[in-house]
Amino acid sequence: MKRILGALSIAAVMAASTVVQAQDIVLQALFMKQTAYSDKDVRDMTNDFEAAHPGIKVNLEFVPYEALHNKIVASISAGSGGYDVALVDTIWPAEFATNQFVDDLTSLVPPRDPIFGGAWKTGEYDGKIWAMPWILDTKYLFYNKDILAKAGFDHPPATLDELTQQAKVIKDKGLADYPIVWSWGQAEALVCDYALLVQAFGGQFYDESGEPAFTKGGALKALQFMVGSIKDGISNPRSTEFLEEEVRNTFSSGRAAFALNWTYMWPLANDPKQSEVAGKIGIVPAPGTPEGSPQAAINGSMGLSIMRNSDKKDAAWQYIKYLTSQETQDKYASMSLPIWKSSYADPKVVKGQEELIKAAETSVAIMYNRPTKVQYQEISTLLQQQIQSALLGLQSPEQAMKDLASQTSGMK
Amino acid sequence: MSGVTINNVKKAYGGFEILHGIDAEIQDGEFVVLVGPSGCGKSTLLRMIAGLEGVTSGTIAIGDRVVNEVHAKDRDIAMVFQNYALYPHMTVEQNMGFSLKLAGRKAPAIRTSVEQVAGFLGLSPLLRRYPRQLSGGQRQRVAMGRALVRNPKVFLFDEPLSNLDAKLRVQMRSEIKSLHRQFPTTAVYVTHDQVEAMTLADRIIVMCGGRIEQVGTPGELYEQPANLFVAGFIGSPAMNFLPGELADDVTSVLLGEQRVSVKAPGHAKPRQRVTVGFRPEHVRFCDSGGIHFKVADVEFTGANSYVTGHIGREQICASIGGRAHVKAGQSASIAIDPASIHLFDTTTGKALA
Amino acid sequence: MFIIVLGVTGYPLLQTIWLSFHSRPLAGHDVQADWVGLANFKTVLENAAFRAAVARTLYFTIVSVLAEAMIGVMVALLLDQEFRGRAFVRALLVLPLAMPTVVSAMMWRLIYNPEYGAFNALLLQIGLIDDYRSWLGAPGLAMNMVIIAEVWKNFSIVAIIVLAALQTIPRELYEAATIDGAGPWARFRNVTWPGILAPLSVALVLRTIEAFKVFDIFYVMTRGGPANTTKTATFFVYDESFAFLRAGSASSYALVVVAISMVLIAIYVRLLRRQDQP
């Protein structure tokens, strides 16, 4: 009996070990469900990757953008067994690199030249690359051609003044109750819209010596513009609770003449199944001001990082390399434009989205970066609150920015 | 104080009639017990008097006032419930004084009334306690005290003793009786226990299947049951019944092969099928010439012996003072006093009288 | 058993207390804890935004729990009556409870949506407003709108507990009270209320503790906005740890929140004891 048991247990051990040997490498990867590539796109890409790389499987997890940062942090603080690959926003590499959450990819990434400089900025901190750029994204001005035509305009606004003026006419003619819609809810999306306007007004968050500059100049003007546009009724006052998806809904239902949003709204607002304005919309770089920047664009790009505590780094890099390859990106170019310069000359990529590509050529080149700070999360949290308090009339823009300066003084 | 007059009262739930026209007259100060098997409608009738159930048709009057449309709280009645229904968060004192408080009486007056009744019921040391701190008997007494404090026109009791153990029940029974003697208020008391009914009542109303079977004093019901139901229900052990046939001269009845002389009323017909009823205590053992009786079992209870056995195929019971001199399995001969035999029409169940 | 309970609840608590006296990053390469004494608690207590958040959370807790108690008791009384379809309506009560908070929060966000939400449509139709408006984007209003969602989510736990308690009250008590001369209000006051008080109190204590720890409903519906007017105390624990990576002061925030909860519980226990006295 004993001998049988012994034989059985040896067999069991052998069986177990063969299973282990045959077992695939399983990567845990974290993505977001919102803007850029859809869940389905990522799943399809991953299926193709698994087909091309036998022995590697990828478990995908999707969370809203607002939960992405804290999900990554929580998984790292929990120790081992976290993610191998995670989607990382352009504002995080400073924090993640300093705290050594992610690996330095400098030696792995492909040559810099074929990829847009703005894309590289996404994962760069301290001269090193911490995230391989993947989603090349910025905000554009979307406009409803029908409404503009009815209001008597044959071109979209080229400056913020013109935007204001066109919006006023549209409102006065009753073509839209609130012509412009923004994502000004208390979230990072608000900071993106604000940063874009800071660029438009020629302002900056911090000056060359690192001192706060948001209490004056273009940064203050940007906030004053936001507050003024709500007061004048040309911006939708409900914007203060909107994120990108609500902006898309409002614009797609034809209730707004203008909207500021990421690339992903272009295919979706043009999809008759999801939009009442399909085929009637235009896209241009966000307008600026003559004294600041003639156009404005916020760097909303995101990259893929390898987590420091991953123990499958080779496979992880293969996966990242596959997702960021020009071939994969060209295939899914309608949801998110490729990081590869030459793709924009490829008729397959350009076809059907000429208008978007034309706007992207200008915008991608001028993408403005939010401040690169280790404590960016904290600064942004306070910034969101102060901007909102000004937007909601709880205090003046000047006071809000002054408060912000004192709250953030000393933050790295 | 006033009586209760029930006039052709019917009760139906959704077209299903459960009381089929009840008439009863309860005199001022009388203690009347409603008795019957469960489901006979006695509790429903009591609750209709209380005003807890509506009257489908007919009238109920307390004193001279028809109370069909009078709210329970305005009927000037008090009720003692089976489960005492004491307010668990109130002390004994608060429980007893609650109705007076609701009636707007002043605290000192309430206190006086409560203390008086409590003293009378021996509840004075318990006034500050909560119901959960009392024994079953004490709770029952509080429930009664709560009713007494109101000094109502009519007391209603809904099986108030059925949750007590046998000993306590006997004790409370006599307490209720002496209470009523001292406060002769009209009382309507519902029970399924015929012993309780016999011991307590001035008059008993026997109910069955939503009808009144008989109304009378305990003696009347025992001695002159109006029908088979009452005859079987009142008395313990129950009356024996044997099928029989009147002889041609209607002065005797044929029980099997035995002829037993009886006093049949004048309207009895020769050869009429009858049910012969006699109480166990009226059975007498005799040496010979009696009815043939096969003893099945003997139970000795001390004061009495109950002898069960068969006459032909019918089982009967005999109650003998002291020890019985027969044994199980033995054949004996019994005699029944003709004066104590009850005759019932087998088809209608009514007494031949 | 005791050791298991102690280990499961005690160890994390001790860890949290230890952390609260240290400065330590949440995670990363060099997780070193430096003793800082009471500095973390000083930061917490001197943080005006946190104090405002505590006041806001207390407001949320008191208003929502009171509303849940009132609506819960009223619904329980209604459902204690005999009526057609009662079983169905009772079953419906479980619906909000069965729904995960995140799902119900999403649902309410849709209902309150300023552009196409049902709430706007309803109010417009009955003429209470003449234009769609922002509910969760308006300071002052947003908190109360979340309270409505919270009350909807949780009143039924009160209703279910009270309903169960109502069914344990003997019918005879009501009848005795009726005969004693009690009208509907006196019956409620003297029979119903004492009968449901104890279970209701337990439900309210549990609800209060839950409500003070509130996080997910706000996280989904408002993310603390607009302009922080719905940022509750637990947001500070969350932000401090997972967004700002400061495990030490996050622990201090957590302990202060726990301490306030304990004060709330103590107040309740005292009130309950007083209720129990005659």
Side-chain angles (χ1 to χ4, degrees):
Chain A
M1 188 64 195
K2 236 180 186 174
R3 200 175 292 166
I4 297 174
L5 274 182
L8 274 176
S9 59
I10 289 168
V13 168
M14 283 171 67
S17 58
T18 51
V19 170
V20 169
Q21 275 173 7
Q23 214 169 34
D24 299 321
I25 296 170
V26 180
L27 294 174
Q28 304 291 333
L30 181 66
F31 294 91
M32 66 171 179
K33 47 174 149 198
Q34 200 169 343
T35 78
Y37 299 118
S38 69
D39 307 11
K40 190 182 169 300
D41 292 339
V42 177
R43 280 182 215 287
D44 290 346
M45 290 176 202
T46 303
N47 287 341
D48 293 346
F49 167 76
E50 286 172 346
H53 296 80
I56 306 180
K57 294 266 174 256
V58 188
N59 280 341
L60 300 175
E61 191 176 334
F62 297 88
V63 294
Y65 170 80
E66 282 70 33
L68 189 58
H69 171 272
N70 294 4
K71 189 95 183 166
I72 292 171
V73 170
S75 85
I76 289 167
S77 66
S80 59
Y83 301 104
D84 300 293
V85 175
L87 183 62
V88 166
D89 196 6
T90 178
I91 49 187
W92 301 334
E95 176 192 342
F96 286 5
T98 308
N99 288 300
Q100 307 205 6
F101 291 174
V102 294
D103 271 1
D104 177 3
L105 305 179
T106 316
S107 59
L108 297 171
V109 294
R112 300 225 175 174
D113 228 25
I115 294 173
F116 284 108
W120 283 118
K121 282 250 182 231
T122 305
E124 198 178 284
Y125 175 69
D126 204 15
K128 294 183 182 120
I129 301 296
W130 304 89
M132 176 65 197
W134 184 43
I135 297 168
L136 178 64
D137 213 350
T138 183
K139 284 197 167 188
Y140 302 91
L141 182 73
F142 292 76
Y143 62 98
N144 184 314
K145 287 178 178 166
D146 267 13
I147 296 180
L148 258 65
K150 278 186 201 146
F153 301 114
D154 57 1
H155 63 279
T159 64
L160 284 176
D161 276 349
E162 204 180 349
L163 173 68
T164 306
Q165 176 217 333
Q166 288 192 0
K168 275 184 176 149
V169 172
I170 288 165
K171 185 179 173 74
D172 289 345
K173 289 190 174 175
L175 297 165
D177 291 343
Y178 303 108
I180 318 174
V181 59
W182 314 78
S183 52
W184 290 351
Q186 189 165 339
E188 189 60 31
L190 167 61
V191 179
C192 291
D193 282 12
Y194 170 69
L196 180 142
L197 291 167
V198 170
Q199 180 192 29
F201 283 101
Q204 50 189 347
F205 284 85
Y206 293 93
D207 63 21
E208 287 71 23
S209 58
E211 290 302 309
F214 40 71
T215 52
K216 53 185 191 260
L220 183 60
K221 276 189 201 156
L223 181 55
Q224 284 163 336
F225 170 82
M226 291 163 80
V227 172
S229 79
I230 286 200
K231 267 200 194 117
D232 296 345
I234 56 168
S235 284
N236 192 325
R238 298 152 203 158
S239 297
T240 56
E241 64 173 279
F242 282 177
L243 298 185
E244 290 89 344
E245 278 296 85
E246 283 92 4
V247 169
R248 179 166 80 86
N249 280 328
T250 302
F251 184 74
S252 296
S253 67
R255 271 173 293 170
F258 303 105
L260 200 68
N261 211 338
W262 308 105
T263 311
Y264 88 109
M265 187 162 95
W266 179 249
L268 296 182
N270 265 323
D271 176 357
K273 271 182 265 170
Q274 302 190 44
S275 168
E276 289 165 38
V277 296
K280 300 175 192 164
I281 57 171
I283 184 170
V284 286
T289 61
E291 63 270 23
S293 167
Q295 279 101 17
I298 176 74
N299 188 356
S301 301
M302 297 180 83
L304 295 166
S305 293
I306 298 176
M307 293 294 106
R308 170 62 62 98
N309 52 2
S310 163
D311 55 1
K312 298 153 196 147
K313 294 187 181 185
D314 286 345
W317 174 249
Q318 286 201 47
Y319 183 51
I320 292 176
K321 210 168 112 186
Y322 182 86
L323 291 186
T324 56
S325 68
Q326 189 165 12
E327 195 190 351
T328 308
Q329 290 222 304
D330 286 357
K331 195 172 160 190
Y332 294 91
S334 68
M335 290 302 280
S336 177
L337 290 173
I339 54 172
W340 305 87
K341 291 176 185 166
S342 61
S343 295
Y344 293 69
D346 182 344
K348 283 204 298 283
V349 172
V350 176
K351 194 171 175 298
Q353 43 187 358
E354 293 80 0
E355 220 176 330
L356 167 66
I357 300 274
K358 185 164 173 287
E361 273 168 1
T362 307
S363 290
V364 167
I366 57 160
M367 287 195 304
Y368 184 71
N369 286 295
R370 284 161 278 171
T372 305
K373 290 277 192 178
V374 177
Q375 282 178 273
Y376 179 81
Q377 286 298 310
E378 203 163 356
I379 296 167
S380 170
T381 302
L382 294 164
L383 177 61
Q384 292 163 26
Q385 186 219 327
Q386 292 299 351
I387 295 176
Q388 277 223 322
S389 73
L391 289 177
L392 294 163
L394 302 177
Q395 57 182 334
S396 68
E398 294 78 7
Q399 190 59 47
M401 286 321 207
K402 227 185 259 168
D403 288 354
L404 179 67
S406 74
Q407 284 171 337
T408 57
S409 75
M411 287 190 185
K412 290 178 281 180
Chain B
M1 289 207 286
S2 32
V4 178
T5 310
I6 297 161
N7 186 13
N8 196 24
V9 161
K10 293 185 179 173
K11 178 71 183 178
Y13 289 109
F16 184 72
E17 198 174 89
I18 59 156
L19 285 180
H20 312 287
I22 302 289
D23 290 294
E25 184 84 25
I26 296 160
Q27 303 300 322
D28 185 16
E30 194 178 21
F31 199 114
V32 166
V33 174
L34 294 176
V35 72
S38 60
C40 71
K42 57 189 189 298
S43 279
T44 307
L45 184 59
L46 186 82
R47 295 165 57 77
M48 286 161 86
I49 299 171
L52 297 173
E53 299 274 355
V55 177
T56 306
S57 72
T59 58
I60 293 175
I62 295 175
D64 299 329
R65 180 170 67 146
V66 172
V67 293
N68 285 32
E69 303 302 325
V70 177
H71 193 270
K73 69 176 159 67
D74 301 322
R75 293 190 180 194
D76 203 0
I77 45 134
M79 187 156 167
V80 178
F81 292 86
Q82 180 173 359
N83 296 310
Y84 323 127
L86 300 179
Y87 309 114
H89 65 291
M90 294 186 195
T91 60
V92 168
E93 182 173 2
Q94 288 166 328
N95 261 286
M96 289 171 65
F98 187 55
S99 62
L100 300 181
K101 190 177 161 199
L102 287 175
R105 297 267 291 276
K106 293 243 166 3
I110 298 174
R111 175 164 296 224
T112 312
S113 306
V114 168
E115 278 171 359
Q116 193 186 343
V117 172
F120 182 75
L121 287 172
L123 292 170
S124 300
L126 306 178
L127 283 179
R128 308 240 167 271
R129 297 228 188 138
Y130 285 90
R132 62 173 179 276
Q133 300 166 313
L134 303 177
S135 70
Q138 288 169 331
R139 288 181 205 183
Q140 183 58 64
R141 211 168 278 143
V142 173
M144 236 129 55
R146 183 170 67 178
L148 277 174
V149 163
R150 298 193 59 182
N151 193 19
K153 283 186 187 153
V154 181
F155 276 117
L156 302 174
F157 297 87
D158 190 4
E159 308 226 14
L161 304 183
S162 58
N163 280 1
L164 300 178
D165 62 52
K167 204 172 160 190
L168 205 51
R169 204 179 308 162
V170 173
Q171 186 194 329
M172 288 306 294
R173 208 161 69 193
S174 65
E175 273 188 36
I176 291 174
K177 198 161 183 181
S178 76
L179 263 177
H180 186 254
R181 219 172 281 131
Q182 298 182 53
F183 303 99
T185 304
T186 313
V188 184
Y189 186 110
V190 162
T191 182
H192 61 272
D193 179 354
Q194 55 96 17
V195 179
E196 225 169 275
M198 295 289 280
T199 49
L200 281 172
D202 293 329
R203 276 196 307 150
I204 297 174
I205 298 175
V206 183
M207 292 181 67
C208 183
R211 289 194 170 77
I212 290 183
E213 296 289 337
Q214 189 174 2
V215 181
T217 63
E220 282 164 2
L221 294 187
Y222 191 78
E223 283 151 15
Q224 295 148 41
N227 51 44
L228 277 171
F229 176 78
V230 175
F233 190 78
I234 301 289
S236 174
M239 187 183 274
N240 296 303
F241 296 114
L242 294 172
E245 192 184 288
L246 278 182
D248 291 335
D249 59 359
V250 302
T251 58
S252 62
V253 70
L254 206 61
L255 286 179
E257 292 137 33
Q258 300 280 334
R259 187 165 294 273
V260 179
S261 55
V262 292
K263 283 185 191 158
H267 57 84
K269 292 183 214 74
R271 310 203 69 79
Q272 184 179 353
R273 309 281 314 166
V274 293
T275 300
V276 176
F278 52 94
R279 296 204 179 270
E281 61 268 32
H282 296 139
V283 176
R284 192 161 51 75
F285 284 89
C286 55
D287 295 338
S288 61
I291 304 163
H292 182 71
F293 177 72
K294 178 120 174 132
V295 178
D297 193 20
V298 181
E299 289 175 68
F300 175 59
T301 66
N304 289 300
S305 294
Y306 297 126
V307 182
T308 49
H310 294 89
I311 295 176
R313 280 185 202 157
E314 307 295 329
Q315 181 175 313
I316 67 150
C317 173
S319 172
I320 310 296
R323 264 184 198 286
H325 301 291
V326 289
K327 287 201 181 82
Q330 187 185 329
S331 282
S333 179
I334 58 167
I336 305 156
D337 175 9
S340 60
I341 284 182
H342 302 267
L343 290 178
F344 301 93
D345 183 326
T346 303
T347 33
T348 64
K350 290 217 166 98
L352 288 178
Chain C
M1 192 61 205
F2 178 72
I3 289 170
I4 294 172
V5 172
L6 199 73
V8 169
T9 63
Y11 176 71
L13 183 66
L14 288 177
Q15 167 92 354
T16 306
I17 292 171
W18 182 83
L19 268 175
S20 70
F21 293 104
H22 291 78
S23 167
R24 204 203 81 173
L26 180 76
H29 173 66
D30 184 24
V31 187
Q32 195 192 317
D34 299 319
W35 172 263
V36 293
L38 290 168
N40 285 334
F41 288 99
K42 191 161 173 281
T43 312
V44 170
L45 297 175
E46 280 176 354
N47 186 344
F50 179 67
R51 288 199 305 266
V54 167
R56 209 174 281 138
T57 314
L58 283 173
Y59 171 82
F60 170 83
T61 304
I62 292 166
V63 174
S64 57
V65 172
L66 276 181
E68 283 158 21
M70 281 193 289
I71 296 172
V73 169
M74 280 192 289
V75 167
L77 288 173
L78 281 177
L79 291 186
D80 198 40
Q81 312 295 314
E82 294 277 351
F83 62 89
R84 266 197 122 150
R86 178 170 75 165
F88 177 71
V89 179
R90 281 186 181 178
L92 274 187
L93 265 191
V94 184
L95 189 74
L97 281 182
M99 206 182 266
T101 307
V102 172
V103 176
S104 84
M106 302 265 274
M107 183 189 85
W108 279 96
R109 218 174 95 181
L110 285 178
I111 291 173
Y112 289 149
N113 186 291
E115 298 284 313
Y116 48 81
F119 193 68
N120 267 319
L122 177 79
L123 293 190
L124 193 70
Q125 214 149 44
I126 59 178
L128 281 177
I129 51 172
D130 46 17
D131 187 17
Y132 276 27
R133 52 171 305 177
S134 174
W135 300 102
L136 296 175
L141 203 53
M143 172 59 81
N144 292 316
M145 300 321 279
V146 177
I147 286 177
I148 292 177
E150 168 82 357
V151 170
W152 178 85
K153 174 81 178 70
N154 289 311
F155 83 92
S156 55
I157 183 99
V158 179
I160 288 168
I161 287 173
V162 171
L163 189 57
L166 283 174
Q167 282 158 1
T168 66
I169 300 176
R171 196 185 57 166
E172 283 192 343
L173 272 186
Y174 287 102
E175 295 177 346
T178 303
I179 289 175
D180 273 346
W185 170 248
R187 282 201 297 274
F188 176 79
R189 177 70 194 80
N190 292 289
V191 178
T192 313
W193 183 249
I196 61 174
L197 187 61
L200 177 66
S201 307
V202 173
L204 295 190
V205 169
L206 293 177
R207 284 300 315 135
T208 302
I209 298 168
E210 283 285 302
F212 194 77
K213 295 191 306 194
V214 65
F215 180 73
D216 29 10
I217 193 168
F218 282 106
Y219 183 77
V220 173
M221 289 184 71
T222 64
R223 293 173 311 277
N228 273 9
T229 53
T230 61
K231 195 165 181 175
T232 57
T234 40
F235 268 86
F236 284 80
V237 184
Y238 178 74
D239 276 353
E240 197 72 6
S241 55
F242 295 119
F244 312 153
L245 312 179
R246 290 189 290 261
S249 43
S251 299
S252 302
Y253 276 110
L255 288 175
V256 170
V257 171
V258 168
I260 297 169
S261 300
M262 276 159 59
V263 170
L264 286 179
I265 297 167
I267 293 173
Y268 257 115
V269 170
R270 286 199 77 135
L271 286 178
L272 287 182
R273 284 229 185 99
R274 195 171 302 165
Q275 283 278 4
D276 215 28
Q277 322 263 297

